[in-house]
Amino acid sequence: MITRKVIVIGGGLAGLVNALQLSGQGVEVTLVEKKRFPFHKVCGEYISNEVLPFLKSLSVDVEVLKPAHLTHFLLSSPTGRTFQTPLDLGGFGVSRYTLDHHLFQLAQRQGVTFRQGVSATEVAFDGHDFTVTLSSGEQLQAPVVIGAYGKRSALDRRLNRSFFEERSPYLAVKYHIRTQLPKHVIALHNFSDGYAGVSAIEEERYCFCYLTTRQNLKKHGTITQMEAQELGKNPWLRDLLQNSEFLYPQPEVINEISFAPKACLEDHVLMSGDAAGLITPLCGNGMAMAIHSAKLLSEQVLLFLNGQQTRTQLENNYSKAWQRQFGARLQTGRLVQRLFGKPILSELAVTSLKYLPGAVGAIMRRTHGKPF
């Protein structure tokens, strides 16, 4: 008989949602997180409303967090030309600090065991059970391990994941700010070799997060100089940088962000969220994808733990469900990314989209899902 235990490695959105969904069905869940809640994460902090029905089924009431409600999208070129359109489904803005901590507290109350402040250093599978070794020396055993540790981890190296050996040119920077901007608009501002997202979150604050290249940073020496000399060429970003209150002294930064294809299964470890595949930030849907991927995975894991399918069926069914749900979104994201971050292409794209509203709707539909 299969022991109804699951180890989740990583306490981001995907990991926490997996933990909530599985523990809600009586599964004994242990979640390993190298940091201690609450903490900040590099993220655009916008979520499509497609996730709301599912979150409600987990007894997650987003409104208690007092999120910003986002109904429109604004796009600017490096020279400041703009295009604005309604968001089909709309979305909401809430910080990862607040949302993840809320989910963590719900999971604790639901009986999830947390190992905080330690990382998983080794995962071994004997054909029946996994043994997960933690940096503390503790070893955990379970028949299912879920990898939900985000964009990049030392565990990727241990699992010999192909993308890990390929250098990625991208880095991301995030601030929380106070500024004077419409609270219902999520904006994407282009600059040379990068783009920045700005949108309201809770408590009269805004998330300001941008993606650029290591080469861009190297050229200017410091983040401050790069922001002044590259981001500041876009008049919208220049105004933001000069007329906002930055709420913490140093930004959150993450390096080596890879948008290369990833497998959602590695040595029988089931990958969830960004560990399974990362959509480009300009598509604005990474948080919803993480939540949806956790739902798909938990459903398959429950069938396995309840004896309704074999491990091979679990792995095959999850891989097919993941590809069916997200394969086209990721492919579209990679194609769209090529239009932005380059001054000439960005200018052409923004100008063209003004006269092609149908194309904008098609891109949104291809990178967003339906309510689930």
Side-chain angles (χ1 to χ4, degrees):
M1 183 176 177
I2 301 169
T3 305
R4 299 182 86 248
K5 288 184 178 182
V6 172
I7 299 167
V8 179
I9 303 173
L13 279 180
L16 289 164
V17 170
N18 273 300
L20 278 169
Q21 191 171 3
L22 292 169
S23 63
Q25 296 299 313
V27 177
E28 184 180 328
V29 179
T30 300
L31 190 149
V32 180
E33 170 52 52
K34 64 182 179 181
K35 295 184 179 180
R36 294 186 178 276
F37 292 95
F39 55 88
H40 292 286
K41 298 192 77 166
V42 175
C43 180
E45 300 185 330
Y46 159 81
I47 312 182
S48 164
N49 282 338
E50 68 196 72
V51 306
L52 291 177
F54 174 61
L55 290 180
K56 185 176 180 180
S57 75
L58 297 180
S59 299
V60 177
D61 181 7
V62 172
E63 287 304 310
V64 303
L65 307 179
K66 300 182 179 178
H69 295 283
L70 303 165
T71 60
H72 286 73
F73 170 67
L74 181 143
L75 176 69
S76 80
S77 71
T79 61
R81 294 181 183 181
T82 61
F83 167 80
Q84 185 166 319
T85 185
L87 291 167
D88 286 349
L89 286 175
F92 58 96
V94 63
S95 72
R96 294 295 298 275
Y97 186 95
T98 295
L99 176 60
D100 291 17
H101 190 223
H102 180 65
L103 297 179
F104 161 70
Q105 291 174 317
L106 290 176
Q108 273 192 319
R109 289 199 289 270
Q110 202 161 274
V112 175
T113 299
F114 283 85
R115 295 287 190 273
Q116 299 184 69
V118 295
S119 57
T121 58
E122 191 74 53
V123 179
F125 181 61
D126 65 8
H128 185 268
D129 284 320
F130 290 89
T131 299
V132 177
T133 303
L134 306 184
S135 54
S136 62
E138 182 183 7
Q139 291 189 321
L140 307 173
Q141 282 82 34
V144 174
V145 168
I146 293 173
Y149 46 74
K151 301 171 181 65
R152 188 178 180 86
S153 166
L155 199 56
D156 289 319
R157 183 190 299 279
R158 304 290 293 181
L159 292 169
N160 294 314
R161 303 190 78 188
S162 58
F163 80 91
F164 193 85
E165 299 303 323
E166 301 171 6
R167 294 300 303 274
S168 170
Y170 298 111
L171 64 90
V173 179
K174 187 194 85 169
Y175 299 93
H176 283 168
I177 61 176
R178 286 199 176 92
T179 193
Q180 297 296 317
L181 287 172
K183 293 181 181 177
H184 67 288
V185 176
I186 177 170
L188 182 72
H189 301 299
N190 281 272
F191 58 93
S192 181
D193 288 326
Y195 36 83
V198 184
S199 57
I201 54 174
E202 75 279 9
E203 297 180 353
E204 304 297 319
R205 294 177 293 158
Y206 290 77
C207 175
F208 169 35
C209 187
Y210 63 87
L211 183 82
T212 188
T213 63
R214 290 195 313 274
Q215 187 59 35
N216 222 359
L217 178 58
K218 183 178 179 181
K219 181 168 65 174
H220 298 288
T222 67
I223 286 177
T224 301
Q225 285 297 315
M226 179 180 67
E227 290 171 350
Q229 297 180 36
E230 291 293 353
L231 280 72
K233 291 178 182 177
N234 182 316
W236 295 87
L237 290 174
R238 182 168 61 249
D239 181 72
L240 186 83
L241 290 164
Q242 293 176 352
N243 297 300
S244 301
E245 177 190 0
F246 286 72
L247 299 180
Y248 39 84
Q250 298 295 328
E252 295 288 321
V253 180
I254 185 171
N255 290 296
E256 296 277 344
I257 301 173
S258 175
F259 300 105
K262 300 177 182 178
C264 61
L265 179 71
E266 297 283 1
D267 290 346
H268 303 285
V269 176
L270 301 156
M271 299 298 174
S272 189
D274 287 349
L278 179 63
I279 197 166
T280 57
L282 59 85
C283 292
N285 205 32
M287 293 173 74
M289 276 185 54
I291 292 169
H292 200 166
S293 73
K295 175 182 182 293
L296 294 177
L297 177 51
S298 291
E299 289 170 348
Q300 296 299 324
V301 169
L302 285 168
L303 290 174
F304 171 69
L305 294 177
N306 292 338
Q308 295 171 270
Q309 63 179 0
T310 65
R311 186 180 300 277
T312 299
Q313 290 171 324
L314 159 64
E315 294 173 354
N316 289 339
N317 289 339
Y318 175 55
S319 296
K320 289 176 183 177
W322 195 96
Q323 186 62 34
R324 186 166 54 246
Q325 187 62 233
F326 303 120
R329 294 197 209 185
L330 294 171
Q331 186 178 44
T332 301
R334 294 185 194 106
L335 291 172
V336 171
Q337 186 179 25
R338 296 174 187 174
L339 298 176
F340 299 99
K342 302 297 181 186
I344 294 175
L345 279 176
S346 296
E347 295 293 340
L348 287 172
V350 173
T351 300
S352 300
L353 288 174
K354 285 186 175 183
Y355 303 102
L356 297 169
V360 178
I363 291 171
M364 287 185 177
R365 286 189 294 274
R366 289 276 291 183
T367 56
H368 290 65
K370 296 178 180 178
F372 61 92

